[in-house]
Amino acid sequence: MMTEGAVQSLSIGEVAERTGLSVHALRFYEREGLLVGPVQRTSGGRRRYTSLDVDWLLICVRLRESGMPLADLKHFAELVRHGPGNEAERLRLLDAHRQRVDAQIQALEECRSVIAWKVGVYAEHLARDEAGGLWDPTA
């Protein structure tokens, strides 16, 4: 049981469950320097994580899911590890990534528009029982 103010100590399996990352991925993140602090170890050498580690990993998961390159994530983690004084550089890195994500969203919206148009074309032709011959390469 935790006492108030105590730092929660979590096993690698518990962190994997909370973050959706595999145990292998967690070890990879540690090896690649993607964490903002060192992972504590028990006297037996087992990794122990804190709730702050989990919070950071959840941010990392979202950044990776949104397409942030590993090198950028590594650089961001390095900046955070160095502490105050580099916030402008962190902002530049995050803003550049946000712009890439915005461009991806715009491209996906354009794709969705084309798909919706084609769905409408097929639905209309099927409703009128006039679907025969739509994009028929044998005609």
Side-chain angles (χ1 to χ4, degrees), residues 83-109:
N86 59 27
E87 292 82 2
E89 190 172 352
R90 293 183 211 179
L91 174 60
R92 280 191 297 276
L93 189 145
L94 290 171
D95 191 49
H97 181 61
R98 182 191 52 80
Q99 289 178 31
R100 286 190 302 270
V101 169
D102 287 346
Q104 292 170 336
I105 290 169
Q106 178 63 37
L108 285 171
E109 286 174 346

Side-chain angles (χ1 to χ4, degrees), residues 12-132:
I12 195 168
E14 290 168 321
V15 173
E17 187 176 309
R18 289 180 185 203
T19 62
L21 292 167
S22 68
V23 168
H24 176 75
L26 287 168
R27 289 182 184 129
F28 173 79
Y29 271 46
E30 181 182 358
R31 205 170 42 250
E32 290 296 311
L34 297 171
L35 300 175
V36 292
V39 175
Q40 300 303 309
R41 302 275 182 154
T42 65
S43 57
R46 295 189 179 273
R47 289 170 175 85
R48 298 306 296 178
Y49 296 85
T50 67
S51 55
L52 293 175
D53 292 323
V54 171
D55 292 345
W56 173 256
L57 286 164
L58 290 171
I59 291 168
C60 290
V61 166
R62 290 293 178 229
L63 291 172
R64 287 293 293 148
E65 285 177 346
S66 64
M68 179 178 272
L70 202 53
D72 286 356
L73 183 55
K74 193 172 186 175
H75 184 58
F76 184 54
E78 182 179 304
L79 291 170
V80 172
R81 266 194 309 277
H82 282 111
N86 59 27
E87 292 82 2
E89 190 172 352
R90 293 183 211 179
L91 174 60
R92 280 191 297 276
L93 189 145
L94 290 171
D95 191 49
H97 181 61
R98 182 191 52 80
Q99 289 178 31
R100 286 190 302 270
V101 169
D102 287 346
Q104 292 170 336
I105 290 169
Q106 178 63 37
L108 285 171
E109 286 174 346
E110 291 170 9
C111 292
R112 183 176 57 194
S113 177
V114 169
I115 293 166
W117 169 71
K118 284 307 291 177
V119 165
V121 167
Y122 277 87
E124 182 180 321
H125 280 81
L126 285 169
R128 292 193 319 235
D129 199 25
E130 297 175 358

